[in-house]
Amino acid sequence: MSARVSTRISTTARQFTLALVACLAVAGGAALAVSGDSEGSSAPQVRLADDNWPVPTKAPGH
């Protein structure tokens, strides 16, 4: 193998390793952000609207 091919292979391997480390760092950060605190998943849900809507109204004169 020539020195040029050897250098090209090592450069490609280094770039692949750097890309892999960057992807793992992003995935690890996303996993930490999602897991955050587990209390949020068991928190009670707040109801913002009543279940009895829409209420039909009668038109005037009917």
Side-chain angles (χ1 to χ4, degrees):
M1 235 196 262
S2 69
R4 182 177 241 174
V5 173
S6 195
T7 302
R8 194 175 298 160
I9 290 173
S10 66
T11 301
T12 303
R14 196 175 327 123
Q15 288 176 346
F16 179 76
T17 303
L18 180 63
L20 180 66
V21 168
C23 288
L24 289 175
V26 169
L32 286 176
V34 169
S35 68
D37 56 345
S38 60
E39 293 177 19
S41 61
S42 62
Q45 299 294 318
V46 178
R47 288 180 46 188
L48 298 177
D50 293 332
D51 288 336
N52 59 356
W53 62 276
V55 177
T57 57
K58 292 185 177 181
H62 285 225

